[in-house]
Amino acid sequence: TIVAAVVPSAYVPPHLRNMDASSMLKRKVRGYVNRVSTSNFKQILTDIESVYAEHPRAEVNKAILAAVIDSCLINTVMPARLCAEHMLLISGLAGNIGPEFVSPLLEDLAEKFANEMITRHGKLLNNIVSMLCFLYALRVVSCVLIFDIIRTLLKSFTEADLEVLLYIFKSVGLDIRKDDPQALKDIVQIVNESGANVKEKTSRFTWFMDTLTAVKNNNVNKIPNYDKSDILDIQRAYKACVKVAPCNLQLTMTDLLDAKKKGRWWLVGAAWTGLDAEKRPNAAEFDSKLLLLAKKNHMSTDVRKNVFCILMSSQDFEHCYEQLMKLSLKDKQEREIIYVTVLCALKCKTYNPYYANVIKKFCGLSKNYQITTQFSVWDRLKELDSLAPKKRNNLSMLLCSLICSKTVSLSVLKIVDFTGIGNNDVEFFKDMFKSLLNESEVLITEIFGRLQPLPLDSLKNGVKVFY
């Protein structure tokens, strides 16, 4: 009789013998989440990649997010360093996998934030905001979401809200100021109006006002207990280990709260119902003559057509700004506002400062519009020889207006080769510099003084020719 040899198997502890595959996965993932730190971040990412190779992606995503939520969303204050390292893991996986990984977490945080604004559970709200601030510092989300949180907290403006607001401005206040200074100005105005109605100004309120003033003035030294070491450490760890740019999702709180009803526009292939019917500007709402004019000017897309019609039908640049903001354009669509405005400015029979004011208004809103304006000016300068005299004159006046308002710097001319310009180009720059030199002496000194520290010798020598 032949007896088969019994191959000994690996020892399994008693508490693991009755666990199913799902429970084993959750246990393994929880171990990686609990051990993550800036020093072993790269190794943890590698280990989690091996887990993805052995299990379905959806189950692994769910297990990781559940482990992070269980660790961070507690009713007591979570240590900032621990929260930062957990968000580092989330941002690293979001960078490698995509926004579909982090989207469920953001939606859950937004829902819990809304619930906490109604009924508070210890320090849970503080932990939610802390997680979102670290995700913003790692550019998983944009400053738009942070400003939405600040506006929501300012509506109630209680002592508990002051504590959370104070944390936001101490941790990422200078960053949101850099990303959107106009939105911060609006926040300061709201705080001043709300603060005027506060009868008993506590020490926390005074501390908050001092911090907000320091952030507004970009004065790091006057921010009480300012410490950005945790954010800098996780940013360095991310750059060292993840070679993919962060998602930087331009999400609002409304987008996250309405995701189940309206869909998720930020996910590729996901359904989205879009804007409400009453808020969505439609080309059919405009006059037929305007639509025909838009067609003649080669406004080929619906976005360009809407922008063009609003520009042509607005009462003034403030009204135009309000109507264009109602379009709620996303990412690359926002560039069309500057593109169409510059196009209209050049096609006028005589120069119209209305278009320059529209551009200035949007450039004051966000730095993205300033960059788009700079690229648009460069495109026109490159084709300067082929422009008609009328367009050349309008461009000269537009560029002069933008430089005088500091919407763009004089360094925008750095792409011009002054040693090889033709007669038409010389006349163009003569007119532009003549208009610039007609401004006040203080303004002229500021405009040309901004060139001095820049390493643009060819531009400086070229400018000297004209004055």
Side-chain angles (χ1 to χ4, degrees):
T1 304
I2 299 174
V3 179
V6 178
V7 180
S9 58
Y11 173 74
V12 180
H15 65 284
L16 297 179
R17 290 173 186 172
N18 296 324
M19 292 183 71
D20 56 6
S22 177
S23 300
M24 290 289 287
L25 171 63
K26 290 178 182 177
R27 181 183 174 84
K28 181 184 287 188
V29 165
R30 194 181 300 114
Y32 291 137
V33 171
N34 291 341
R35 292 200 306 273
V36 69
S37 66
T38 52
S39 58
N40 66 1
F41 175 54
K42 189 172 183 178
Q43 183 59 46
I44 293 292
L45 281 181
T46 304
D47 293 339
I48 290 179
E49 283 177 11
S50 64
V51 176
Y52 274 106
E54 299 170 359
H55 299 84
R57 172 174 288 193
E59 290 186 12
V60 180
N61 289 350
K62 190 175 179 181
I64 294 171
L65 295 179
V68 169
I69 288 172
D70 290 343
S71 299
C72 297
L73 295 184
I74 53 180
N75 293 338
T76 56
V77 176
M78 187 179 188
R81 183 71 182 186
L82 193 58
C83 183
E85 289 170 343
H86 279 70
M87 293 306 101
L88 173 63
L89 177 62
I90 292 294
S91 61
L93 292 170
N96 289 334
I97 298 171
E100 61 271 15
F101 169 78
V102 75
S103 182
L105 174 64
L106 294 175
E107 291 173 33
D108 191 33
L109 290 177
E111 189 175 340
K112 284 182 167 59
F113 175 82
N115 293 335
E116 282 297 303
M117 290 305 297
I118 300 170
T119 307
R120 298 293 172 94
H121 299 88
K123 298 295 183 180
L124 181 58
L125 180 64
N126 300 55
N127 294 333
I128 293 170
V129 172
S130 179
M131 291 171 71
L132 291 172
C133 284
F134 283 121
L135 289 175
Y136 164 65
L138 291 162
R139 300 300 173 185
V140 176
V141 295
S142 71
C143 65
V144 178
L145 184 60
I146 304 300
F147 278 117
D148 280 351
I149 292 170
I150 294 172
R151 292 187 192 97
T152 305
L153 292 168
L154 287 175
K155 288 179 182 177
S156 52
F157 212 41
T158 61
E159 279 291 305
D161 296 329
L162 272 176
E163 183 183 355
V164 180
L165 286 167
L166 194 57
Y167 174 80
I168 294 173
F169 283 107
K170 282 174 61 180
S171 58
V172 295
L174 295 175
D175 295 316
I176 61 175
R177 179 190 182 276
K178 182 180 178 182
D179 287 348
D180 197 342
Q182 184 58 47
L184 182 63
K185 287 180 182 177
D186 296 337
I187 294 297
V188 172
Q189 186 177 354
I190 294 171
V191 171
N192 289 335
E193 292 172 358
S194 303
N197 299 325
V198 176
K199 296 180 180 179
E200 296 181 5
K201 296 183 179 179
T202 62
S203 57
R204 179 172 286 167
F205 177 82
T206 306
W207 193 8
F208 167 69
M209 291 303 296
D210 291 342
T211 304
L212 181 59
T213 304
V215 169
K216 183 188 72 170
N217 297 330
N218 198 25
N219 193 338
V220 181
N221 297 326
K222 289 194 176 181
I223 300 177
N225 301 327
Y226 180 74
D227 182 14
K228 205 178 177 182
S229 58
D230 290 337
I231 289 177
L232 292 176
D233 286 346
I234 60 175
Q235 286 175 341
R236 280 193 289 265
Y238 183 93
K239 289 178 182 177
C241 302
V242 184
K243 304 305 179 185
V244 183
C247 308
N248 200 16
L249 298 172
Q250 304 292 317
L251 296 171
T252 64
M253 187 62 72
T254 306
D255 288 333
L256 294 171
L257 293 174
D258 294 343
K260 293 178 182 177
K261 296 178 183 178
K262 293 186 177 181
R264 301 163 180 85
W265 59 262
W266 58 92
L267 298 182
V268 178
W272 185 53
T273 57
L275 299 171
D276 295 332
E278 66 273 11
K279 292 183 180 179
R280 187 190 296 118
N282 196 322
E285 296 173 3
F286 300 112
D287 186 75
S288 58
K289 292 181 180 179
L290 269 180
L291 294 174
L292 183 61
L293 188 61
K295 188 176 181 181
K296 285 182 179 179
N297 283 277
H298 309 292
M299 300 296 149
S300 52
T301 65
D302 288 338
V303 174
R304 289 187 181 182
K305 200 177 294 181
N306 288 335
V307 172
F308 179 85
C309 291
I310 289 173
L311 277 168
M312 293 294 110
S313 59
S314 296
Q315 299 169 3
D316 54 30
F317 75 93
E318 292 282 0
H319 180 244
C320 178
Y321 171 77
E322 291 174 4
Q323 294 300 310
L324 289 172
M325 288 301 291
K326 288 180 181 178
L327 291 174
S328 297
L329 301 179
K330 303 292 183 182
D331 297 331
K332 294 181 180 180
Q333 291 180 331
E334 293 177 341
R335 302 175 188 174
E336 303 293 353
I337 295 175
I338 302 298
Y339 171 84
V340 175
T341 307
V342 171
L343 189 68
C344 292
L346 298 189
K347 288 199 172 186
C348 288
K349 291 182 180 179
T350 57
Y351 173 70
N352 189 344
Y354 161 74
Y355 298 106
N357 288 330
V358 172
I359 294 173
K360 292 173 193 175
K361 188 73 175 175
F362 277 97
C363 288
L365 175 68
S366 171
K367 193 174 181 180
N368 291 336
Y369 289 107
Q370 292 181 350
I371 296 170
T372 305
T373 301
Q374 181 175 288
F375 281 118
S376 185
V377 169
W378 283 350
D379 290 340
R380 300 305 171 185
L381 290 176
K382 288 175 182 176
E383 58 182 22
L384 199 56
D385 287 333
S386 60
L387 290 180
K390 177 186 68 175
K391 289 185 177 180
R392 201 180 299 121
N393 180 64
N394 288 341
L395 178 60
S396 173
M397 299 294 288
L398 175 66
L399 189 53
C400 179
S401 178
L402 295 178
I403 291 173
C404 288
S405 64
K406 300 176 186 176
T407 303
V408 295
S409 168
L410 197 59
S411 63
V412 75
L413 302 178
K414 64 185 179 182
I415 66 162
V416 179
D417 181 13
F418 286 97
T419 59
I421 58 176
N423 293 332
N424 290 335
D425 295 351
V426 170
E427 291 300 320
F428 170 84
F429 289 112
K430 269 186 182 180
D431 294 340
M432 192 195 78
F433 283 113
K434 186 177 180 181
S435 300
L436 280 177
L437 294 173
N438 285 333
E439 299 294 330
S440 67
E441 187 175 345
V442 175
L443 183 58
I444 292 172
T445 305
E446 288 181 7
I447 291 171
F448 288 91
R450 293 172 71 184
L451 274 184
Q452 189 174 1
L454 302 177
L456 300 172
D457 294 335
S458 60
L459 173 58
K460 293 174 186 176
N461 294 330
V463 169
K464 288 178 183 177
V465 176
F466 294 94
Y467 72 98

PDB file of all heavy atoms in Angstrom, residues 68 155 159 187 217 233 262 285 293 318 336 351 372 389 401 416 433 445:
ATOM      1  N   VAL A  68      -8.516  54.262   6.181  1.00  0.00           N
ATOM      2  CA  VAL A  68      -8.135  55.668   6.420  1.00  0.00           C
ATOM      3  C   VAL A  68      -9.243  56.398   7.175  1.00  0.00           C
ATOM      4  O   VAL A  68      -8.987  57.154   8.121  1.00  0.00           O
ATOM      5  CB  VAL A  68      -7.818  56.373   5.089  1.00  0.00           C
ATOM      6  CG1 VAL A  68      -7.677  57.879   5.292  1.00  0.00           C
ATOM      7  CG2 VAL A  68      -6.550  55.802   4.473  1.00  0.00           C
ATOM      8  N   LYS A 155     -20.868  81.436   8.037  1.00  0.00           N
ATOM      9  CA  LYS A 155     -22.313  81.680   8.145  1.00  0.00           C
ATOM     10  C   LYS A 155     -22.790  81.550   9.588  1.00  0.00           C
ATOM     11  O   LYS A 155     -23.633  82.317  10.047  1.00  0.00           O
ATOM     12  CB  LYS A 155     -23.073  80.703   7.244  1.00  0.00           C
ATOM     13  CG  LYS A 155     -22.926  81.012   5.761  1.00  0.00           C
ATOM     14  CD  LYS A 155     -23.667  79.999   4.912  1.00  0.00           C
ATOM     15  CE  LYS A 155     -23.478  80.299   3.426  1.00  0.00           C
ATOM     16  NZ  LYS A 155     -24.145  79.277   2.562  1.00  0.00           N
ATOM     17  N   GLU A 159     -17.922  79.843  18.281  1.00  0.00           N
ATOM     18  CA  GLU A 159     -16.589  79.626  18.841  1.00  0.00           C
ATOM     19  C   GLU A 159     -15.952  78.358  18.250  1.00  0.00           C
ATOM     20  O   GLU A 159     -14.753  78.334  17.981  1.00  0.00           O
ATOM     21  CB  GLU A 159     -16.676  79.506  20.366  1.00  0.00           C
ATOM     22  CG  GLU A 159     -16.757  80.824  21.086  1.00  0.00           C
ATOM     23  CD  GLU A 159     -15.468  81.611  21.017  1.00  0.00           C
ATOM     24  OE1 GLU A 159     -14.400  81.086  21.401  1.00  0.00           O
ATOM     25  OE2 GLU A 159     -15.505  82.767  20.547  1.00  0.00           O
ATOM     26  N   ILE A 187     -13.413  87.101   1.488  1.00  0.00           N
ATOM     27  CA  ILE A 187     -13.532  86.482   2.817  1.00  0.00           C
ATOM     28  C   ILE A 187     -13.255  87.502   3.913  1.00  0.00           C
ATOM     29  O   ILE A 187     -13.973  87.577   4.919  1.00  0.00           O
ATOM     30  CB  ILE A 187     -12.572  85.274   2.943  1.00  0.00           C
ATOM     31  CG1 ILE A 187     -12.986  84.132   1.992  1.00  0.00           C
ATOM     32  CG2 ILE A 187     -12.519  84.781   4.376  1.00  0.00           C
ATOM     33  CD1 ILE A 187     -14.336  83.524   2.273  1.00  0.00           C
ATOM     34  N   ASN A 217      -1.885  90.154   4.684  1.00  0.00           N
ATOM     35  CA  ASN A 217      -0.692  90.964   4.405  1.00  0.00           C
ATOM     36  C   ASN A 217       0.534  90.131   4.047  1.00  0.00           C
ATOM     37  O   ASN A 217       1.626  90.685   3.868  1.00  0.00           O
ATOM     38  CB  ASN A 217      -0.363  91.835   5.623  1.00  0.00           C
ATOM     39  CG  ASN A 217      -1.462  92.824   5.930  1.00  0.00           C
ATOM     40  OD1 ASN A 217      -2.175  93.275   5.035  1.00  0.00           O
ATOM     41  ND2 ASN A 217      -1.622  93.174   7.202  1.00  0.00           N
ATOM     42  N   ASP A 233       7.100  68.373   4.762  1.00  0.00           N
ATOM     43  CA  ASP A 233       7.613  66.991   4.776  1.00  0.00           C
ATOM     44  C   ASP A 233       6.827  66.090   3.835  1.00  0.00           C
ATOM     45  O   ASP A 233       7.424  65.310   3.073  1.00  0.00           O
ATOM     46  CB  ASP A 233       7.553  66.428   6.204  1.00  0.00           C
ATOM     47  CG  ASP A 233       8.629  67.016   7.097  1.00  0.00           C
ATOM     48  OD1 ASP A 233       9.556  67.642   6.554  1.00  0.00           O
ATOM     49  OD2 ASP A 233       8.532  66.862   8.327  1.00  0.00           O
ATOM     50  N   LYS A 262     -26.478  64.480  -9.544  1.00  0.00           N
ATOM     51  CA  LYS A 262     -26.104  65.055 -10.841  1.00  0.00           C
ATOM     52  C   LYS A 262     -24.967  64.318 -11.539  1.00  0.00           C
ATOM     53  O   LYS A 262     -24.742  64.525 -12.728  1.00  0.00           O
ATOM     54  CB  LYS A 262     -25.698  66.520 -10.657  1.00  0.00           C
ATOM     55  CG  LYS A 262     -26.859  67.416 -10.232  1.00  0.00           C
ATOM     56  CD  LYS A 262     -26.413  68.863 -10.203  1.00  0.00           C
ATOM     57  CE  LYS A 262     -27.570  69.781  -9.860  1.00  0.00           C
ATOM     58  NZ  LYS A 262     -27.163  71.200  -9.840  1.00  0.00           N
ATOM     59  N   GLU A 285     -30.998  81.482 -26.341  1.00  0.00           N
ATOM     60  CA  GLU A 285     -31.497  82.626 -25.592  1.00  0.00           C
ATOM     61  C   GLU A 285     -31.069  83.953 -26.212  1.00  0.00           C
ATOM     62  O   GLU A 285     -31.623  84.995 -25.913  1.00  0.00           O
ATOM     63  CB  GLU A 285     -30.981  82.562 -24.146  1.00  0.00           C
ATOM     64  CG  GLU A 285     -31.490  81.353 -23.373  1.00  0.00           C
ATOM     65  CD  GLU A 285     -30.835  81.240 -22.008  1.00  0.00           C
ATOM     66  OE1 GLU A 285     -30.035  82.136 -21.671  1.00  0.00           O
ATOM     67  OE2 GLU A 285     -31.119  80.265 -21.308  1.00  0.00           O
ATOM     68  N   LEU A 293     -23.737  86.961 -36.104  1.00  0.00           N
ATOM     69  CA  LEU A 293     -22.465  87.663 -35.970  1.00  0.00           C
ATOM     70  C   LEU A 293     -21.397  86.746 -35.379  1.00  0.00           C
ATOM     71  O   LEU A 293     -20.226  86.795 -35.789  1.00  0.00           O
ATOM     72  CB  LEU A 293     -22.655  88.893 -35.072  1.00  0.00           C
ATOM     73  CG  LEU A 293     -21.482  89.874 -34.964  1.00  0.00           C
ATOM     74  CD1 LEU A 293     -21.156  90.462 -36.331  1.00  0.00           C
ATOM     75  CD2 LEU A 293     -21.800  90.981 -33.969  1.00  0.00           C
ATOM     76  N   GLU A 318     -18.811  95.014 -15.783  1.00  0.00           N
ATOM     77  CA  GLU A 318     -19.248  94.349 -14.550  1.00  0.00           C
ATOM     78  C   GLU A 318     -20.390  93.379 -14.849  1.00  0.00           C
ATOM     79  O   GLU A 318     -20.408  92.244 -14.359  1.00  0.00           O
ATOM     80  CB  GLU A 318     -19.699  95.390 -13.522  1.00  0.00           C
ATOM     81  CG  GLU A 318     -18.588  96.272 -12.970  1.00  0.00           C
ATOM     82  CD  GLU A 318     -17.765  95.556 -11.918  1.00  0.00           C
ATOM     83  OE1 GLU A 318     -18.067  94.385 -11.630  1.00  0.00           O
ATOM     84  OE2 GLU A 318     -16.814  96.164 -11.392  1.00  0.00           O
ATOM     85  N   GLU A 336     -11.248  80.228 -22.984  1.00  0.00           N
ATOM     86  CA  GLU A 336     -11.984  80.785 -24.120  1.00  0.00           C
ATOM     87  C   GLU A 336     -12.455  82.208 -23.836  1.00  0.00           C
ATOM     88  O   GLU A 336     -12.640  82.998 -24.774  1.00  0.00           O
ATOM     89  CB  GLU A 336     -13.192  79.891 -24.457  1.00  0.00           C
ATOM     90  CG  GLU A 336     -12.853  78.441 -24.764  1.00  0.00           C
ATOM     91  CD  GLU A 336     -12.059  78.288 -26.058  1.00  0.00           C
ATOM     92  OE1 GLU A 336     -11.880  79.281 -26.784  1.00  0.00           O
ATOM     93  OE2 GLU A 336     -11.598  77.167 -26.340  1.00  0.00           O
ATOM     94  N   TYR A 351     -10.376 101.522 -30.918  1.00  0.00           N
ATOM     95  CA  TYR A 351     -10.087 100.830 -29.657  1.00  0.00           C
ATOM     96  C   TYR A 351     -11.194 101.066 -28.630  1.00  0.00           C
ATOM     97  O   TYR A 351     -11.637 102.204 -28.419  1.00  0.00           O
ATOM     98  CB  TYR A 351      -8.755 101.310 -29.092  1.00  0.00           C
ATOM     99  CG  TYR A 351      -8.467 100.780 -27.715  1.00  0.00           C
ATOM    100  CD1 TYR A 351      -8.172  99.432 -27.512  1.00  0.00           C
ATOM    101  CD2 TYR A 351      -8.524 101.618 -26.598  1.00  0.00           C
ATOM    102  CE1 TYR A 351      -7.929  98.938 -26.240  1.00  0.00           C
ATOM    103  CE2 TYR A 351      -8.281 101.135 -25.329  1.00  0.00           C
ATOM    104  CZ  TYR A 351      -7.980  99.792 -25.160  1.00  0.00           C
ATOM    105  OH  TYR A 351      -7.750  99.298 -23.891  1.00  0.00           O
ATOM    106  N   THR A 372      -3.183  82.889 -19.153  1.00  0.00           N
ATOM    107  CA  THR A 372      -3.859  82.775 -20.452  1.00  0.00           C
ATOM    108  C   THR A 372      -3.737  84.068 -21.242  1.00  0.00           C
ATOM    109  O   THR A 372      -3.514  84.049 -22.462  1.00  0.00           O
ATOM    110  CB  THR A 372      -5.349  82.436 -20.240  1.00  0.00           C
ATOM    111  OG1 THR A 372      -5.454  81.251 -19.449  1.00  0.00           O
ATOM    112  CG2 THR A 372      -6.040  82.207 -21.575  1.00  0.00           C
ATOM    113  N   PRO A 389      -3.515  97.232 -40.066  1.00  0.00           N
ATOM    114  CA  PRO A 389      -3.199  98.419 -39.255  1.00  0.00           C
ATOM    115  C   PRO A 389      -4.199  98.666 -38.122  1.00  0.00           C
ATOM    116  O   PRO A 389      -3.816  99.043 -37.020  1.00  0.00           O
ATOM    117  CB  PRO A 389      -3.235  99.560 -40.282  1.00  0.00           C
ATOM    118  CG  PRO A 389      -2.920  98.899 -41.580  1.00  0.00           C
ATOM    119  CD  PRO A 389      -3.515  97.531 -41.506  1.00  0.00           C
ATOM    120  N   SER A 401      -2.805  99.254 -21.936  1.00  0.00           N
ATOM    121  CA  SER A 401      -3.755  99.284 -20.826  1.00  0.00           C
ATOM    122  C   SER A 401      -3.483  98.160 -19.830  1.00  0.00           C
ATOM    123  O   SER A 401      -3.530  98.362 -18.613  1.00  0.00           O
ATOM    124  CB  SER A 401      -5.180  99.188 -21.364  1.00  0.00           C
ATOM    125  OG  SER A 401      -6.117  99.159 -20.328  1.00  0.00           O
ATOM    126  N   VAL A 416       9.986  89.116 -28.121  1.00  0.00           N
ATOM    127  CA  VAL A 416      10.223  89.964 -29.291  1.00  0.00           C
ATOM    128  C   VAL A 416      11.727  90.109 -29.529  1.00  0.00           C
ATOM    129  O   VAL A 416      12.488  90.428 -28.599  1.00  0.00           O
ATOM    130  CB  VAL A 416       9.592  91.362 -29.096  1.00  0.00           C
ATOM    131  CG1 VAL A 416       9.878  92.243 -30.311  1.00  0.00           C
ATOM    132  CG2 VAL A 416       8.105  91.245 -28.856  1.00  0.00           C
ATOM    133  N   PHE A 433       4.880 102.453 -26.582  1.00  0.00           N
ATOM    134  CA  PHE A 433       5.728 103.103 -25.587  1.00  0.00           C
ATOM    135  C   PHE A 433       5.378 104.578 -25.426  1.00  0.00           C
ATOM    136  O   PHE A 433       5.527 105.134 -24.334  1.00  0.00           O
ATOM    137  CB  PHE A 433       7.205 102.933 -25.955  1.00  0.00           C
ATOM    138  CG  PHE A 433       7.750 101.569 -25.659  1.00  0.00           C
ATOM    139  CD1 PHE A 433       8.145 100.714 -26.677  1.00  0.00           C
ATOM    140  CD2 PHE A 433       7.855 101.112 -24.354  1.00  0.00           C
ATOM    141  CE1 PHE A 433       8.637  99.450 -26.408  1.00  0.00           C
ATOM    142  CE2 PHE A 433       8.350  99.848 -24.066  1.00  0.00           C
ATOM    143  CZ  PHE A 433       8.735  99.015 -25.098  1.00  0.00           C
ATOM    144  N   THR A 445       7.780 104.611 -13.416  1.00  0.00           N
ATOM    145  CA  THR A 445       8.883 104.058 -12.614  1.00  0.00           C
ATOM    146  C   THR A 445       8.570 102.636 -12.155  1.00  0.00           C
ATOM    147  O   THR A 445       9.429 101.756 -12.185  1.00  0.00           O
ATOM    148  CB  THR A 445       9.132 104.951 -11.381  1.00  0.00           C
ATOM    149  OG1 THR A 445       9.363 106.297 -11.814  1.00  0.00           O
ATOM    150  CG2 THR A 445      10.331 104.458 -10.598  1.00  0.00           C
TER     151      THR A 445
END
